């Protein structure tokens, strides 16, 4: 695999799509970052959104396989930064469509400085704002042998830039170590104080600490009224994706990065518990 870098990960995605003339249909999950959607549109792709699996919260592979034969590309996202590998599913797709390009989108995961354990044709990481390791900028990808990759210059817009970025492994490793320690402290507060019944399982708690509640908007309002902040996740980009829609309507991302302190995390728990108690 060849390691490549760019100012943002979506420019790597754009370069890969254009370098390999992947103009056909891209299969991707409905609950995805809008910047990815806009990047693929700029690249001239046709987008086919599918629902997510209610157990894994990642792509519904049954749906993907049913339409993979005519697709040019599949973009597999690791929801909430879950570290599962999809290699078995990738092999099944190639059995259906040997020429399909598979993009392993790990932008919400912790970056891997060694060649990743992935059989994707492009494995994508991000160190931009709001990612697990926030360096303010930086995208990194691994391109599999046999696939082209060139830097494609284009008119800049609000999503894509031609600005370059160079990976400094020493800086990244130091930041990763600090991030892991900070997240562990804040996650421990959330895990201890919030009801286990509303917490997603541990593999989904790396990028943010995620809770699933029936009164999402009420809790978000209470948090903002208390001078705190939290967020929802990516809204579904297509109708008919009921699992993604239901998750979006209930999930709240609680912050565990350097923009949030232990004191704020504890206060967040207090506010959430107050709302839960009031609604009983």
């Amino acid at each position: 695999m060849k390691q490549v870098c760019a100012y943002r990960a979506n420019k790597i995605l754009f370069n890969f799509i254009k370098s390999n003339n992947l103009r056909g249909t891209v299969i991707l999950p409905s609950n995805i970052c809008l910047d990815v959607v806009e990047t693929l549109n700029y690249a001239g792709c046709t987008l086919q959104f599918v629902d997510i699996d209610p157990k894994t919260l990642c792509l519904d592979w049954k749906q993907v396989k049913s339409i993979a034969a005519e697709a040019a590309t599949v973009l597999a996202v690791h929801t909430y930064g879950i570290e599962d590998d999809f290699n078995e599913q990738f092999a099944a797709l190639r059995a259906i469509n040997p020429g399909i390009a598979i993009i392993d989108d790990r932008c919400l995961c912790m970056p891997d400085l060694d060649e990743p354990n992935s059989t994707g044709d492009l494995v994508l990481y991000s160190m931009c704002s709001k990612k697990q390791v926030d360096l303010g900028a930086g995208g990194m990808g691994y391109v599999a042998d046999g696939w082209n990759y060139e830097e494609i210059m284009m008119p800049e817009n609000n999503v894509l830039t031609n600005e370059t970025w160079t990976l400094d492994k020493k800086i990244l490793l130091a930041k990763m170590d600090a991030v892991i320690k900070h997240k562990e402290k804040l996650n421990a507060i959330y895990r201890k104080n919030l009801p286990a019944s509303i917490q997603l399982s541990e593999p989904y708690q790396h990028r943010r600490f995620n809770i699933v509640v029936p009164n999402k908007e009420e809790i978000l309002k209470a948090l903002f009224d208390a001078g705190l902040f939290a967020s929802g996740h990516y809204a579904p980009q297509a109708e008919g994706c009921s699992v993604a829609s239901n998750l979006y309507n209930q999930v709240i991302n609680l912050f565990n990065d350097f923009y949030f302190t232990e004191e704020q995390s504890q206060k967040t728990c207090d506010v959430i518990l107050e709302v839960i108690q009031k609604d009983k």
Side-chain angles (χ1 to χ4, degrees), residues 1-272:
M1 283 184 144
K2 173 186 178 183
Q3 186 186 78
V4 296
C5 295
Y7 190 80
R8 291 190 65 186
N10 59 345
K11 184 62 190 303
I12 296 175
L13 173 62
F14 179 85
N15 289 341
F16 181 80
I17 294 289
K18 299 296 283 186
S19 295
N20 292 285
N21 199 28
L22 299 171
R23 294 184 177 178
T25 298
V26 178
I27 303 171
L28 68 168
S30 176
N31 60 336
I32 193 165
C33 174
L34 188 57
D35 284 358
V36 175
V37 174
E38 294 185 13
T39 297
L40 293 171
N41 283 331
Y42 285 131
C45 300
T46 300
L47 308 188
Q48 177 66 62
F49 295 103
V50 299
D51 208 349
I52 56 175
D53 186 293
K55 293 182 179 179
T56 68
L57 306 184
C58 297
L59 275 172
D60 183 329
W61 292 105
K62 185 176 180 179
Q63 289 187 40
V64 174
K65 291 170 188 175
S66 71
I67 56 176
E70 304 300 324
T73 310
V74 169
L75 192 147
V77 177
H78 291 251
T79 302
Y80 306 138
I82 189 170
E83 297 286 351
D84 286 6
D85 79 61
F86 302 142
N87 290 341
E88 184 178 339
Q89 303 295 348
F90 294 168
L93 292 182
R94 291 190 176 105
I96 297 169
N97 181 349
I100 198 166
I102 297 176
I103 298 170
D104 193 351
D105 183 344
R106 300 186 178 194
C107 287
L108 299 184
C109 299
M110 192 67 71
D112 195 335
L113 289 175
D114 298 315
E115 189 169 303
N117 178 30
S118 172
T119 57
D121 302 308
L122 171 64
V123 185
L124 203 55
Y125 296 95
S126 176
M127 284 72 73
C128 289
S129 175
K130 301 178 183 178
K131 300 304 187 292
Q132 281 208 49
V133 179
D134 184 349
L135 298 180
M140 180 175 67
Y142 293 89
V143 180
D145 297 341
W147 291 89
N148 299 320
Y149 186 85
E150 298 177 8
E151 182 66 35
I152 308 296
M153 304 301 290
M154 60 163 294
E156 296 193 9
N157 51 54
N158 62 319
V159 173
L160 294 168
T161 176
N162 295 317
E163 189 173 348
T164 59
W165 179 81
T166 302
L167 172 65
D168 187 318
K169 290 186 178 181
K170 186 176 180 179
I171 291 176
L172 180 55
L173 284 170
K175 185 77 171 186
M176 287 170 63
D177 183 61
V179 164
I180 290 170
K181 291 177 180 177
H182 187 75
K183 286 180 180 292
E184 285 176 350
K185 290 180 182 178
L186 271 58
N187 280 2
I189 294 171
Y190 294 133
R191 194 180 299 113
K192 177 182 177 181
N193 290 280
L194 295 174
S197 60
I198 69 172
Q199 301 177 28
L200 287 184
S201 61
E202 187 61 28
Y204 297 95
Q205 305 292 33
H206 299 304
R207 176 180 173 255
R208 297 281 187 266
F209 193 93
N210 298 286
I211 60 173
V212 177
V213 291
N215 50 351
K216 168 185 173 179
E217 296 303 327
E218 182 184 3
I219 289 177
L220 284 174
K221 183 178 185 305
L223 290 172
F224 280 97
D225 287 347
L228 299 163
F229 51 94
S231 67
H233 200 63
Y234 304 133
Q237 299 296 315
E239 296 181 357
C241 297
S242 59
V243 180
S245 294
N246 289 338
L247 182 64
Y248 172 72
N249 290 335
Q250 299 179 78
V251 74
I252 297 177
N253 303 157
L254 303 180
F255 283 72
N256 56 9
D257 56 23
F258 285 114
Y259 299 103
F260 227 56
T261 65
E262 293 176 65
E263 181 181 356
Q264 288 173 305
S265 296
Q266 182 61 59
K267 188 176 179 182
T268 294
C269 292
D270 295 341
V271 171
I272 293 171

